[in-house]
């Protein structure tokens, strides 16, 4: 089989960290090659080198047997390389079609001609079953669809070496299945694909070979068919990982969060997206809201945390009515929040890590005195959390959040929210983009937060996570509570029926 | 020697701030070279001596010219600071001119009419200017925070409102018909010269330079050391994240504009509470407000940087006053400054050039992210 990409001895150093250390990597024609490694292992960096975003300090790259220098994404595109980034790079108020042709516009007498391009987009999306409306605006479509736009963008540029950096982190289980199908058919067509993911199940399903990186070094490349999940995990973290969560039975105490007949209106879709929703979360339990993406979870959380106004019903935290309280008031009343969109809400990307770790506490002692920031306590607090949560950056507390790897950004947010002494923790997809070792650790932490007496409200699309972590499950469908379950006495299949709206029962 | 050169490049390459600073210096160099070219075209024989005089302007007549550099720099430092401060909060204060006009008008009004204040006269005039500027800044701030009207649009329009208001007030209340110009503030309203006259004999320097440095220090500390600065910068970087963090972004936007306006207002007082200068009564926009935008860019929106850039402006201006000796028109200075402004507006482009240059020269790349390009 022809080798289309051959990277030899790639080394890339950032201040304080060697992100890639003499890494060899090769990609064969028509294969799906998975890239696996802990958060910060250097996966995105290696791919950015291939895509011309970074220049390697050492090493060489050959494409289809010819040694090349890739100085910019433009060069990469010319060589037929396309990349979908970990954090999408779409223009939000442009349409799908405009985004796809951006930089490759067809013009006639200097004027933009869209018809031909739109035709081509239509053909591509039919051919690969990537359904999108070319005229829809990016801000109005779901992340799953945005993903498809990113893939179409590569195909439009006639790339045949496709790099996908954690494409599944933001997708629902159904969308993941679809994506894998699409990738497989692309590979069959002769495209060569590099897939970065932390989910071993997906590697098993999709990939032919898998290369594992650890701390910037290549550990090895294996044939996926002949390797077990456990072996992969061990190669990745250098120790065994337990895939089960052990926890004792919950000892639920008094009610911390009480939500009654909550309605949330969406101005965009001009209707209530959360309807008469009601539930309680008690001290010492993990309540999980399960549902298929787009059934009002985002709006529900935004309403609970104060990012979005509530149009009806009430929210009571620790006996205090917070229905119309400000975000600051909620936070002070004992609410912590791991947000869904870590780059938009969760972090000030241009602030250093240490500043991000005090985002809701900068005004409180010991971080503030007489209106002045206290740099020594800020630094030592950051170092404490970096240590405790194993947040890896090249420069420690002063690393810019923007320069941290995706998984480490997520860890920083979790560290911040778990370390505030609040009674309620609202966590949306807390393990999104984390490696298996980190997921194990975060799951343990969520359980121990519960055992310490916190109330935990978990919003997750991952049914496995829902089933193994929660003490109670509320299923949300079209913004309504369609049933409450005990994870011990319900099957994934049955939950699925409620989540898809084919069954419902009134809240008990 | 070669080694030192590579090392320096490496050091610059490692920090985005240093790359930005290098591109500011490049903008200045390009502007100066353009000016030189222009002088060569106009009068080749005198070009080099004239150019030399311009760049050594502040040292031509010893301390007198040095003092004048400070004098010319003061209003520009202040308006630059005003723009830079707002910019840190994510706001583009293009209304510095209007705020400055309102400040100047208030200062002159108080200076002409409130002689009864005695020794406090000038202080009250400056404070009045500050207040007027703050109010003028508050309007776009409020509109932005509560009605989401873009501050560029509102502050540009307010520039014109201020301009016409200025003419109206002067013609009705402050016009000196004998001299046919705006009435002059009473001597008690003039900015004190203090001991500076002894240090810089014969120069036009006054207390203004201390006031400018004072505001530079205050804004520097505010932005770097206080929780208020932490909030302002967070709001400037990411409105969504600062809202998530529970910050009151509306209040921050208004306050940032109020402070920016106040600083521009003070600039107005610094310009016209001076013997021999008259607030124009014609309907013209005072250019110092716009120059402030360029100075903020050159100074990388950091107070200290703005001070350096402002002093540089003062130096050029002082150099320009000698140009007539060489048979050049002093307007050449304005052209040089305009070109520098152009190049500093191209700073993103220049940063890229600096970055590629350094990357090439030092081979090993520096671990700079794509920040510069994607921002
Ligand atoms: N632009 C940058 N500047 C400085 N350091 C960086 C930069 N980009 C990445 N790094 C560092 O390089 C290391 C590797 O990062 P990379 O993004 O490649 O990790 P990753 O394997 O993709 O991790 P994740 O699974 O969390 O996305 C990390 O320690 C990160 O902090
Ligand atoms: Mg990554």
């Amino acid at each position: 089989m022809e080798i289309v990409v051959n990277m030899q001895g790639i080394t890339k150093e950032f201040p304080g960290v060697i992100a890639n250390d003499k890494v060899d990597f090769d990609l064969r024609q028509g294969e799906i090659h998975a890239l696996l490694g802990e958060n910060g292992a250097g996966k995105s960096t290696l791919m950015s080198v291939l895509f011309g975003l970074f220049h390697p300090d050492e090493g060489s790259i050959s494409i289809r047997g010819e040694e090349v220098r890739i100085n910019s994404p433009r060069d990469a595109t010319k060589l037929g390389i396309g990349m979908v980034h970990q954090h999408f790079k779409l223009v939000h108020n442009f349409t799908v079609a405009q985004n796809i042709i951006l930089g490759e516009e067809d013009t006639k007498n200097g004027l933009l001609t869209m018809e031909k391009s739109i035709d081509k987009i239509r053909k591509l999306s039919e051919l690969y079953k990537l359904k999108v409306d070319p005229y829809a605006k990016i801000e109005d479509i779901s992340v799953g669809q945005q993903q498809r736009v990113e893939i179409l963008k590569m195909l439009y540029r006639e790339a045949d070496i496709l790099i996908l950096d954690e494409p599944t982190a933001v997708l629902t289980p159904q969308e993941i299945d679809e994506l894998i199908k699409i990738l497989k058919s692309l590979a069959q067509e002769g495209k060569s694909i590099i897939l970065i993911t932390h989910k071993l199940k997906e590697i098993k399903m999709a990939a032919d070979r898998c290369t594992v990186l650890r701390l910037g070094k290549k550990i090895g490349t294996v044939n996926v068919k002949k390797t077990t999940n456990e072996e992969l995990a061990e190669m990745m973290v250098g120790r065994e990982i337990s895939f089960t969560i052990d926890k004792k039975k919950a000892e639920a105490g008094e009610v911390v969060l009480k939500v009654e007949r909550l309605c949330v209106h969406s101005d965009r879709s001009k209707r209530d997206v959360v309807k008469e929703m009601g539930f309680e979360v008690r001290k010492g339990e993990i309540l999980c809201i399960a549902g298929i993406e787009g059934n009002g979870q985002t709006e529900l959380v935004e309403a609970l945390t104060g990012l979005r106004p509530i149009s009806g019903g009430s929210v009571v935290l620790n006996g205090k009515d917070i229905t119309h309280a400000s975000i600051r008031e909620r936070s002070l009343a004992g609410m912590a929040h791991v947000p869904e969109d870590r780059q938009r809400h969760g972090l000030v990307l241009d602030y250093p890590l240490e500043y991000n770790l005090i985002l809701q506490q900068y005004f409180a002692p010991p971080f503030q005195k007489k209106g002045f920031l206290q740099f020594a306590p800020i630094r030592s607090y950051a170092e404490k959390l970096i240590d405790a949560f194993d947040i890896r950056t090249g420069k420690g507390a002063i690393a810019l959040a923007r320069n941290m790897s995706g998984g480490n950004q997520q860890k920083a947010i979790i560290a911040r929210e778990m370390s505030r002494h609040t009674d309620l923790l609202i966590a949306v997809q807390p393990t999104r983009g984390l490696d298996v070792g980190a997921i194990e650790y975060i799951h343990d932490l969520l359980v121990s937060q519960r055992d310490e007496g916190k109330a935990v409200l978990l919003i997750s699309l991952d049914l496995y996570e829902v089933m193994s972590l929660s003490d109670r499950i509320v299923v949300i469908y079209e913004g309504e509570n369609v049933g409450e379950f005990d994870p011990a006495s319900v099957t994934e299949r049955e939950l699925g029926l409620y989540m898809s709206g084919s069954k419902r029962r009134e809240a008990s | 020697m070669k080694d030192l050169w590579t090392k320096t490049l490496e050091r610059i390459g490692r920090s985005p701030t240093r790359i930005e600073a290098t591109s500011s210096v490049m903008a200045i160099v390009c502007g100066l070279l353009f000016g030189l070219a222009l002088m060569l075209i106009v009068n080749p024989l005198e070009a080099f001596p004239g150019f030399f005089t311009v760049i050594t302007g502040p040292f031509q007549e010893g301390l007198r010219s040095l003092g004048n550099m400070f004098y010319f720099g003061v209003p520009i430092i202040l308006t630059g600071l005003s723009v830079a401060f707002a910019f840190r909060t994510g706001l583009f204060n293009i209304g510095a001119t209007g705020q400055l006009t309102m400040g100047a008008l208030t200062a002159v009004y108080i200076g002409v009419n409130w002689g009864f204040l005695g020794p406090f006269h000038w202080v009250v005039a400056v404070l009045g200017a500050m207040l007027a500027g703050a109010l003028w800044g508050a309007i776009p701030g409020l509109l932005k925070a509560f009605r989401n009207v873009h501050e560029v649009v509102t502050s540009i329009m307010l520039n014109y409102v201020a301009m016409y208001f200025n003419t109206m007030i002067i013609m009705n209340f402050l016009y000196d018909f004998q001299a046919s110009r705006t009435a002059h503030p009473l001597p008690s309203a003039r900015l004190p010269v203090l001991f500076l006259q002894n240090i810089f004999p014969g120069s036009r320097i006054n207390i203004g330079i201390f006031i400018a440095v004072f505001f530079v220090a205050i804004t520097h500390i505010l932005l770097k050391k206080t929780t208020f600065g932490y909030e302002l910068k967070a709001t400037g970087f990411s409105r969504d994240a600062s809202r998530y963090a529970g910050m009151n972004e509306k209040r921050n936007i208004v306050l940032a504009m109020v402070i920016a306006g106040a600083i521009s207002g003070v600039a107005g007082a610094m310009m016209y509470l001076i013997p021999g200068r008259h607030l124009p009564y014609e309907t013209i926009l005072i250019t110092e407000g716009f120059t402030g935008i360029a100075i903020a860019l050159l100074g990388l929106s950091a107070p200290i940087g703005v001070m350096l850039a402002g002093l540089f402006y003062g130096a050029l201006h002082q150099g320009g006053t000698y140009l007539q000796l060489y048979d050049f028109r002093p307007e050449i200075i304005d052209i040089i400054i305009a070109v520098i402004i152009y190049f500093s507006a191209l700073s993103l482009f220049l940063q890229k050039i600096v970055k590629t240059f350094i990357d090439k020269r030092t081979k090993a790349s520096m671990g700079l992210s794509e920040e510069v390009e994607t921002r």
Side-chain angles (χ1 to χ4, degrees), chain B residues 2 5-6 9-10 355-364 366:
Chain B
K2 189 122 194 267
W5 173 238
T6 326
L9 284 182
E10 248 176 42
K355 193 177 160 243
T356 6
F357 179 77
I358 288 177
D359 275 1
K360 277 218 181 100
R361 287 303 149 101
T362 58
K363 269 191 322 235
M366 301 305 131

Side-chain angles (χ1 to χ4, degrees), chain A residues 40 43-45 86 165-166 196 198 405-407:
Chain A
K43 306 178 296 293
S44 298
T45 305
Q86 191 164 3
D165 193 351
E166 296 195 35
I196 300 182
H198 289 294
S405 84

